[in-house]
């Protein structure tokens, strides 16, 4: 039960897999899915699949909403 309670206390971005988090942070750095695919040596469809999981876990629908999430949570500093 403690594990379930601890998991529920995590922020949505803390529930991402390592690869999902890596792609999430690259989106926050304003990289496009195509740039991410090239940088990580992945196919665009693989990046798109990971992004779909990221969106589901964060409860967002667009890349813009991922950026907004980053601002709200302090993961992106407004310059």
């Amino acid at each position: 039960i403690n594990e379930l309670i601890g998991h529920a206390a995590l922020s949505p971005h803390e529930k991402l897999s390592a690869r999902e988090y890596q792609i999430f942070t690259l989106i926050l750095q304003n990289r496009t899915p195509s740039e991410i695919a090239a940088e990580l040596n992945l196919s665009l469809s693989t990046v798109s699949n990971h992004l779909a999981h990221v969106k589901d876990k964060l409860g967002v629908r667009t890349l813009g909403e991922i950026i907004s999430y980053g601002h709200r949570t302090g993961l992106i500093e407004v310059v």
Side-chain angles (χ1 to χ4, degrees):
I1 292 176
N2 286 339
E3 289 177 22
L4 292 175
I5 292 170
H7 190 67
L10 292 176
S11 298
H13 67 274
E14 294 174 314
K15 297 177 184 176
L16 300 174
S17 71
R19 180 64 90 183
E20 290 165 354
Y21 189 80
Q22 183 181 32
I23 290 171
F24 166 69
T25 58
L26 290 169
I27 290 293
L28 295 184
Q29 294 169 27
N30 223 18
R31 302 279 210 325
T32 66
S34 296
E35 290 170 338
I36 293 169
E39 186 173 329
L40 300 181
N41 199 27
L42 298 172
S43 72
L44 183 55
S45 66
T46 298
V47 171
S48 295
N49 285 336
H50 285 303
L51 275 175
H53 296 150
V54 169
K55 290 174 188 174
D56 284 345
K57 290 180 181 180
L58 299 183
V60 302
R61 292 180 302 197
T62 66
L63 295 181
E65 289 177 339
I66 291 175
I67 301 293
S68 293
Y69 176 92
H71 284 294
R72 277 196 318 276
T73 56
L75 296 169
I76 298 176
E77 292 183 20
V78 180
V79 189

